[in-house]
Amino acid sequence: MAARLYVYTARVLDKWLRKNPGARRVPPILPVVLYNGRPAWTAPTTLRELFWLPNPSVLREHFPQLSYRVDDLRRSEDEALEQRSLPPFGRVALLLLRHCDDAEEDFLVFLTRLAAAINEVQDRDDLISCFTYIVEAGPGEAEALDTLRPRLSPPKEEVAMTIADALHERGRKEGLEQGLERGREEGL
């Protein structure tokens, strides 16, 4: 990851320098990795850690450092994520990333607590993103929206049901296509 972030940072700076050819300084870039994996993050967090040097004490100081921050969501408490200075959608997104891989029963309990935060999200596109992620990434798609619906304000519930209807229609079409394909295979 450190090498990849070094490349990304270089690309951003290269683009900025092309737009600002007379610049003597560049804007700061703080690389951050949002991580929601189950095992703790163990990859090196500096580029310098990746270099293989036979005698590190001689040359190490001349190699690029580039360090990055890992925001390990699984090892963060929900309360700490909720307190972050972010718009409601940002806090909901972080919480969903933290819990999307929970066991179904735990995820449904989590959703009952998340409903109040979802009700604070105002932008319809942000709501669509939330509900789509809940259904696509979380366990138990139908149960997830059923758990949320009674806790949502009417406008939020309407958006959730729009997503549920669209997913139901997609599932119906996929089932129909699979049935047609199986019929062709069997020569019906």
Side-chain angles (χ1 to χ4, degrees), residues 87-186:
F89 175 67
R91 290 191 303 273
V92 169
L94 291 179
L95 289 163
L96 284 171
L97 284 169
R98 182 178 190 279
H99 288 280
C100 69
D101 200 26
D102 288 356
E104 185 173 350
E105 186 177 315
D106 295 336
F107 187 69
L108 295 176
V109 170
F110 157 72
L111 287 178
T112 63
R113 296 189 319 265
L114 186 68
I118 290 174
N119 281 323
E120 293 178 26
V121 176
Q122 298 302 313
D123 185 80
R124 182 177 175 83
D125 289 340
D126 291 346
L127 287 167
I128 290 170
S129 295
C130 289
F131 295 132
T132 302
Y133 189 80
I134 287 167
V135 171
E136 297 286 339
E141 53 189 63
E143 296 84 1
L145 291 180
D146 288 344
T147 298
L148 272 174
R149 280 184 50 220
R151 294 165 177 83
L152 297 173
S153 64
K156 305 323 189 238
E157 182 181 6
E158 179 185 325
V159 175
M161 293 317 301
T162 300
I163 295 300
D165 291 344
L167 292 170
H168 178 73
E169 181 62 21
R170 184 179 77 186
R172 190 187 68 72
K173 285 181 180 178
E174 288 174 0
L176 181 60
E177 288 173 11
Q178 289 174 355
L180 289 171
E181 183 63 30
R182 185 177 296 149
R184 282 188 214 111
E185 289 172 0
E186 294 177 7

Side-chain angles (χ1 to χ4, degrees), residues 15-92:
K15 184 177 179 180
W16 190 88
L17 286 168
R18 278 189 267 123
K19 287 183 178 181
N20 301 278
R24 295 180 148 216
R25 293 181 179 257
V26 295
I29 298 174
L30 175 63
V32 176
V33 172
L34 267 177
Y35 177 67
N36 68 337
R38 287 213 177 267
W41 185 269
T42 58
T45 57
T46 67
L47 183 65
R48 197 173 285 173
E49 292 174 72
L50 297 180
F51 292 110
W52 176 84
L53 298 170
N55 187 353
S57 63
V58 174
L59 298 174
R60 193 179 252 341
E61 69 182 65
H62 300 288
F63 283 76
Q65 172 66 21
L66 185 75
S67 61
Y68 63 94
R69 182 176 191 274
V70 176
D71 191 353
D72 193 340
L73 299 176
R74 289 242 178 226
R75 276 137 233 22
S76 299
E77 296 293 327
D78 285 357
E79 295 74 24
L81 296 176
E82 292 165 359
Q83 296 303 315
R84 290 195 181 178
S85 181
L86 294 169
F89 175 67
R91 290 191 303 273
V92 169

